[in-house]
């Protein structure tokens, strides 16, 4: 992250998702996801309405089967009848038929390249010849292009959403469990979208490891730009957990990329009531907005014996949670960019104990210093069959 010039966004295509436009020149959109069963129309519609009231710009629901996908229609009708026009997104895994059904009812369909056509990690076939690899790309094209045509007809956007934990055996055979593999998993699908002249596409690559997530998204942005495919990017640290740890990991990962000018939509994933995600995301975006003018003036770096010391200072009117988000962005970005000195925080709203804990947690989130067990947890969705929280 450089504060030499005012924060500016990476140039991307613009994508229309219902009444929300994302991409260059557009506000960064806040997303969340329901954790209610998708077949429970009333509960799902009620949670979407609550999320919209809290400030969510886009809401995603799982649609694991065609039956779940078709029930998105009644959910959407209930939400619209309540006067809420928030765009809805169907989340698809392992089931192309569900994607086709969902495209009839929502404004965006998310598919996972690791399991949309490929079966996911089966570890049955570990080597692919060039011919076999090309044949698999052909299979992907045969399934994906008809979906793109349906989405074009209905003005539905697509999200190509790669997860670190669900790369296919085919990708693993060539790239391993690496940032390069995750990027190639996304690029295979993006190239097909481009060939089909379908550009209402958002792309995301998520990992629970903040270092992996930030390195991979930066590589993705460079690769897309080099190939002339500047699709908008959705940001999130997946399976971040709950409480302060989840907020710090999310702020470090999402905030450092936003400060680099990368990112057009965001989700702070919490294993809590999804409504809790929205104010955290808003605080994060508010702090990024301040970076446009502050240029990092709240951070001072001095020599401290054999190393350097970076101190982030915040005014007394910032709440402890606001300081947590701001310091995680500022100091976390500094560390991810290569700073190897010590860090400290000057914030009147924090006690000495809170300050020391926050410093330690930022160091842990950036993998500089591990001092406690790392808690990794899915935020939960309609596929979760128990009370995760």
């Amino acid at each position: 992250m450089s504060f030499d010039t005012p924060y500016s966004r990476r140039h991307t295509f613009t994508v229309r998702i219902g009444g929300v436009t994302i991409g260059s020149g557009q506000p960064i959109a806040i997303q969340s996801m329901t954790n209610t069963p998708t077949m429970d129309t009333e509960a799902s519609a009620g949670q979407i309405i609550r999320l919209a009231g809290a400030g969510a710009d886009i809401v995603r629901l799982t649609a694991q089967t065609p039956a779940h996908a078709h029930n998105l229609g009644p959910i959407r009708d209930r939400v619209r009848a309540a006067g809420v026009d928030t765009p809805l997104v169907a989340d698809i895994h392992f089931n192309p038929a569900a994607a086709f059904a969902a495209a009839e009812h929502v404004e965006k369909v998310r598919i996972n390249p690791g399991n949309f056509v490929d079966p996911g990690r089966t570890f049955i076939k570990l080597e692919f010849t060039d011919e076999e690899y090309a044949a698999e790309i052909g299979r992907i094209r045969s399934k994906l292009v008809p979906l793109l045509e349906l989405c074009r007809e209905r003005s539905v956007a697509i999200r190509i959403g790669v997860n670190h934990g669900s790369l296919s055996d085919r990708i693993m055979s060539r790239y391993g469990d690496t940032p390069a593999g995750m990027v190639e998993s996304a690029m295979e699908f993006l190239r097909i979208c481009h060939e089909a002249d379908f550009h209402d596409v958002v792309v995301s690559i998520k990992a629970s490891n903040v270092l992996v997530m930030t390195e991979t998204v930066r590589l993705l942005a460079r690769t897309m730009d080099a190939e002339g495919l500047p699709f908008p990017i959705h940001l999130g640290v997946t399976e971040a957990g709950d409480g302060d740890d989840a907020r710090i990991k999310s702020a470090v990962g999402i905030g450092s990329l936003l400060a680099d000018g990368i990112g057009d939509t965001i989700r702070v994933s919490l294993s809590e009531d999804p409504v809790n995600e929205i104010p955290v995301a808003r605080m994060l975006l508010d702090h990024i907005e301040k970076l446009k003018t502050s240029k990092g003036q709240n951070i001072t770096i001095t020599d401290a014996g054999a190393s350097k010391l970076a101190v982030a200072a915040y005014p007394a009117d910032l709440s402890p949670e606001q300081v947590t988000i701001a310091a995680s962005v500022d100091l976390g970005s500094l560390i991810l960019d290569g700073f190897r000195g010590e860090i400290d925080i000057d914030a009147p709203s924090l006690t000495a104990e809170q300050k020391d804990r926050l410093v330690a947690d930022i160091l842990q989130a950036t993998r500089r210093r591990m001092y406690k067990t790392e808690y990794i947890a899915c935020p939960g969705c309609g596929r979760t069959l128990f009370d995760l929280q």
Side-chain angles (χ1 to χ4, degrees):
M1 176 176 64
S2 172
F3 295 106
D4 295 336
T5 58
Y7 159 73
S8 60
R9 293 268 294 285
R10 165 181 169 267
H11 171 75
T12 70
F13 298 137
T14 55
V15 175
R16 185 83 172 173
I17 305 170
V20 175
T21 303
I22 65 170
S24 291
Q26 303 299 319
I28 294 170
I30 295 173
Q31 299 194 29
S32 186
M33 185 174 185
T34 60
N35 61 9
T36 52
T38 306
M39 297 304 291
D40 189 334
T41 303
E42 186 169 344
S44 296
Q47 193 169 80
I48 292 166
I49 293 167
R50 288 176 57 227
L51 284 164
D57 299 303
I58 301 170
V59 177
R60 182 161 48 115
L61 305 88
T62 185
Q64 57 265 50
T65 69
H68 290 84
H70 284 302
N71 201 54
L72 296 173
I75 292 171
R76 185 177 185 274
D77 291 344
R78 186 77 59 91
V79 169
R80 299 294 180 257
V84 174
D85 60 0
T86 302
L88 304 183
V89 182
D91 190 63
I92 309 296
H93 291 273
F94 297 105
N95 199 332
F100 283 87
E104 302 283 347
H105 304 291
V106 296
E107 286 78 21
K108 185 168 76 169
V109 175
R110 180 269 173 127
I111 58 176
N112 183 341
N115 55 41
F116 181 68
V117 175
D118 291 315
R121 291 184 178 182
T122 64
F123 303 105
I124 296 173
K125 185 173 178 59
L126 301 179
E127 294 184 6
F128 291 78
T129 66
D130 290 346
E131 292 76 16
E132 289 172 329
Y133 202 96
E136 293 298 303
I137 299 297
R139 275 204 321 128
I140 292 171
R141 183 178 290 104
S142 69
K143 295 284 188 180
L144 180 57
V145 171
L147 177 62
L148 299 180
E149 293 304 325
L150 176 61
C151 289
R152 191 197 314 274
E153 176 185 328
R154 300 191 59 81
S155 299
V156 173
I158 289 281
R159 167 141 69 103
I160 305 301
V162 177
N163 278 347
H164 189 198
S166 58
L167 297 178
S168 69
D169 285 354
R170 181 176 50 79
I171 288 290
M172 291 283 287
S173 73
R174 290 288 176 95
Y175 298 92
D177 192 5
T178 64
M182 287 185 279
V183 169
E184 184 60 20
S185 182
M187 292 304 300
E188 289 176 349
F189 278 64
L190 294 178
R191 293 177 189 122
I192 294 171
C193 291
H194 180 63
E195 291 166 7
D197 195 28
F198 186 92
H199 292 90
D200 288 330
V201 179
V202 184
V203 61
S204 66
I205 292 185
K206 295 187 178 181
S208 61
N209 181 318
V210 174
L211 288 181
V212 172
M213 175 263 193
T214 52
E215 178 184 348
T216 306
V217 172
R218 285 168 173 158
L219 177 59
L220 172 69
R222 293 195 301 270
T223 303
M224 287 197 295
D225 292 347
E227 295 192 22
L229 302 176
F231 290 103
I233 293 178
H234 170 69
L235 300 177
V237 177
T238 194
E239 300 174 331
D242 69 351
D244 285 345
D245 287 347
R247 287 159 173 79
I248 291 165
K249 288 175 69 175
S250 295
V252 170
I254 297 171
S256 62
L257 291 167
L258 290 177
D260 281 346
I262 299 172
D264 304 281
T265 78
I266 67 171
R267 182 197 177 187
V268 174
S269 296
L270 301 179
S271 299
E272 303 174 14
D273 185 330
V275 172
N276 294 349
E277 298 175 356
I278 310 306
V280 181
R282 176 50 53 198
M283 278 187 275
L284 202 166
L285 292 183
D286 287 346
H287 184 65
I288 291 296
E289 187 69 21
K290 292 177 183 177
L291 294 182
K292 290 183 178 180
T293 54
S294 71
K295 301 182 184 180
Q297 292 174 1
N298 58 313
I299 296 180
T300 58
I301 298 178
T302 59
D303 288 323
S307 65
K308 292 186 179 298
L309 171 67
V311 180
Y314 303 99
D317 61 351
L318 287 191
S319 70
E321 189 169 20
Q322 288 173 311
V323 172
T324 294
I325 300 302
S328 297
V329 173
D330 296 340
L331 294 173
S333 298
L334 199 65
I335 293 169
L336 291 179
D337 279 354
F339 181 77
R340 289 295 175 263
E342 297 299 313
I343 62 171
D344 203 354
I345 298 168
D346 180 4
S349 62
L350 297 186
T351 66
E353 182 179 357
Q354 288 173 322
K355 183 196 70 171
D356 291 344
R357 179 66 175 268
L358 178 53
V359 166
D361 286 344
I362 292 171
L363 291 171
Q364 169 129 349
T366 56
R367 302 288 175 119
R368 273 281 306 279
R369 185 179 302 158
M370 306 296 285
Y371 80 101
K372 63 181 179 181
T373 302
E374 182 176 18
Y375 176 44
I376 297 172
C378 171
C381 70
R383 297 191 299 272
T384 309
L385 301 180
F386 58 95
D387 185 342
L388 181 64
Q389 187 178 355

